[in-house]
Amino acid sequence: MKALMKLKKGEGNVEIENIPEPFPGSEEVKIEVKAAGICGSDIHIYHDDIKIPVKPPVVMGHEFSGIVTEVGKNVTEIKVGDAVTSETAASVCGVCRYCRTGNYNLCPHRLVIGYWINGAFTRYCVVPKERIHKLPKNVDFISAAMYEPLSCCVHGVIELTGVTVGDVVVITGPGAIGLLTLQIAKAEGGRIVMCGTFQDQKRLKLAQELGADVIVDIQKENASEIISDLTGGYGADVVFECSGAPKAANFGLDAVRKQGKYTQIGLLGRPIEVDFEKIAYKEIKLTGSFSQKWTDWELALKLLSQGKIKTKPLVSDILPITRWKEGFKKHEEKTGIKIILTPIE
Ligand SMILES: [Zn+2]
Ligand SMILES: [Zn+2]
């Protein structure tokens, strides 16, 4: 089968290779991939600048959905023909503090599909049975390919931050993560201010369609003034920084009100300069959010099947795996939002 692989460390070294079909171990499930999304971290794997461990040669792709075609001999709860998606933590230690408390997204021994273990930019992949989630009947494969980023956002917004009805919520970065964060915060009852740049015109418009109450082009408009007007001069109750841009992080620390909450969801990729003292003066409750775990997935499944969140409007392109270069380029140049790759016959 054809597979998009990171072949060795260093810049690039990503190619389509022909590899044998995998077979499931006794506790594993084999999935025929129907749709797999390109994530920002795939671009980082391409450039070899991500801190999550990568072990080439490895099949890339970790945001996917598909149909079960085979199960290991000890798998009883999942059947051939089930429509499913899978979490990305293919291997965790099971004995550390984080594993034992259900926070295995933070396990120091966590190994991830598409980074360390063969992933989903191919026809078949194999995952441990405990990471599988069955798709709700009314969720299609394309929408379901976004359960992974959606679960990451559920983790950041609901599990780690919490929005109270009426909160003014500022989101920086209207990419896929920002647009999912927006819909979750909206579902929680927030009044959403989505901030982007000149480059983001289309994405800002989509943000509006997905429920943003106010959209702000920070290059054209005075975002601080707009937020101040909306909050009686206090500032935002909650800020979700989803862009990973240093300017946005600094803007977020300014935009949040005293005693407000700031959550860093976007990855910056390098140390940046911020005025850390603001956190003290303003008593900001600051947290970060990393990856996802079982409880996030279960909630994400409900939100999508109840129609509280829509992932399909985020899909800008559906391409065969052989056109991966085009997909990666579109992602990097921000001319697409979520680009889906599909396996080749
Ligand atoms: Zn991802
Ligand atoms: Zn562990």
Side-chain angles (χ1 to χ4, degrees), residues 168 170 193 195 216 222-236 251 255-256:
V168 171
V170 168
V193 182
C195 300
V216 184
N222 186 337
S224 312
E225 219 173 85
I226 292 169
I227 295 163
S228 176
D229 283 351
L230 282 170
T231 58
Y234 281 109
F251 167 73
V256 71

Side-chain angles (χ1 to χ4, degrees), residues 81-137:
D82 281 349
V84 296
T85 180
S86 169
E87 294 181 35
T88 52
S91 167
V92 297
C93 78
V95 294
C96 72
R97 160 185 285 267
Y98 307 107
C99 283
R100 287 182 197 269
T101 53
N103 299 298
Y104 54 87
N105 56 311
L106 299 174
C107 172
H109 305 289
R110 174 178 175 268
L111 300 174
V112 185
I113 293 170
Y115 295 69
W116 195 274
I117 288 151
N118 280 342
F121 288 152
T122 183
R123 177 155 290 277
Y124 295 103
C125 70
V126 154
V127 298
K129 64 176 184 184
E130 62 269 27
R131 295 293 177 257
I132 299 278
H133 295 263
K134 287 186 202 172
L135 301 189
K137 283 206 167 54

Side-chain angles (χ1 to χ4, degrees), residues 41-117:
S41 60
D42 293 316
I43 309 296
H44 287 296
I45 294 173
Y46 181 92
H47 293 301
D48 198 12
D49 61 0
I50 193 155
K51 290 186 190 84
I52 299 165
V54 180
K55 190 181 79 172
V58 67
V59 179
M60 296 169 69
H62 60 270
E63 302 180 356
F64 70 103
S65 61
I67 288 185
V68 175
T69 57
E70 205 181 328
V71 297
K73 67 174 173 15
N74 297 338
V75 179
T76 52
E77 46 293 284
I78 299 147
K79 303 269 187 286
V80 170
D82 281 349
V84 296
T85 180
S86 169
E87 294 181 35
T88 52
S91 167
V92 297
C93 78
V95 294
C96 72
R97 160 185 285 267
Y98 307 107
C99 283
R100 287 182 197 269
T101 53
N103 299 298
Y104 54 87
N105 56 311
L106 299 174
C107 172
H109 305 289
R110 174 178 175 268
L111 300 174
V112 185
I113 293 170
Y115 295 69
W116 195 274
I117 288 151

